[in-house]
Amino acid sequence: MSIIDYIVLAFSLGIMALVAVQSCVSQTKVALLRGLTISSVMSLSFVVFVALGMWLANKVRFDIPEVDSMISFGLIIVVVVKLLFSVRKGNVMSAYNIQQMSTLVSFVIALGINALILGLGVGFVGQLGADILKMAIPLVLVVWLMTMWGIMLGRRNVDIRHRRWQLIGILCLVVIAFKVAFFK
């Protein structure tokens, strides 16, 4: 995968973080210093989840390019379908009080499951050793910035269009899925 693919993947994960954090912070206000900590924890944990998925996929891959790309396509589409159902239902993660460390950990794990599945999908078509920096740097930067943006919007009770943002994230994932499956 190229650096552009990882930037698009980071943007999609950043949108998930933006929407979730904004809805949580609009329910319970978060201080700015605490927001910096939350953004740092989320961005670093997303890197860990994606890297863990890539590592697991590299351990079980078939080394047949057509099979690996179809598995990658299927795993990314699983996340797309999961996100489409949440957009249709209008689910928003507003039940989390992310000021407490225990709920922040469960919040990060809940969001990290999608990152783990995407890491599995990406791992079937990429190499962890060669792609770790191409994945980690954009992911840390984009998720950190978008999480901070979500915190700032939530603190000001700015109503963002959750469904529109989520559909943009879904579109990014669909583009990545088709690229890894059909365009090498």
Side-chain angles (χ1 to χ4, degrees), residues 5-161:
D5 298 331
Y6 286 113
I7 290 171
V8 172
L9 179 69
F11 187 68
S12 177
L13 287 169
I15 287 174
M16 289 181 218
L18 167 81
V19 169
V21 166
Q22 189 274 338
S23 62
C24 290
V25 173
S26 67
Q27 299 293 322
T28 58
K29 300 298 181 227
V30 172
L32 186 58
L33 186 60
R34 182 71 173 168
L36 292 171
T37 305
I38 291 168
S39 294
S40 300
V41 166
M42 286 191 67
S43 62
L44 293 175
S45 66
F46 273 31
V47 169
V48 168
F49 278 113
V50 172
L52 179 64
M54 289 175 73
W55 178 77
L56 288 171
N58 276 294
K59 292 293 181 189
V60 298
R61 64 191 301 171
F62 295 102
D63 291 326
I64 302 171
E66 293 80 20
V67 173
D68 289 340
S69 62
M70 283 294 116
I71 291 172
S72 177
F73 177 78
L75 287 169
I76 295 171
I77 294 300
V78 164
V79 175
V80 167
V81 168
K82 181 179 177 240
L83 292 174
L84 278 174
F85 278 118
S86 71
V87 167
R88 200 179 106 217
K89 290 180 184 177
N91 289 349
V92 178
M93 299 180 86
S94 61
Y96 288 93
N97 178 5
I98 57 176
Q99 287 186 345
Q100 300 172 349
M101 188 54 78
S102 61
T103 54
L104 177 62
V105 168
S106 62
F107 178 72
V108 168
I109 290 172
L111 289 175
I113 290 171
N114 287 340
L116 178 71
I117 296 170
L118 289 173
L120 277 169
V122 168
F124 275 98
V125 293
Q127 294 292 329
L128 179 64
D131 290 351
I132 192 73
L133 283 178
K134 287 194 287 186
M135 176 272 301
I137 292 171
L139 193 59
V140 165
L141 293 175
V142 171
V143 171
W144 190 86
L145 288 172
M146 293 191 82
T147 303
M148 278 306 296
W149 188 27
I151 288 170
M152 299 308 281
L153 292 173
R155 286 178 55 157
R156 294 191 174 127
N157 284 331
V158 175
D159 183 32
I160 62 172
R161 310 283 179 157

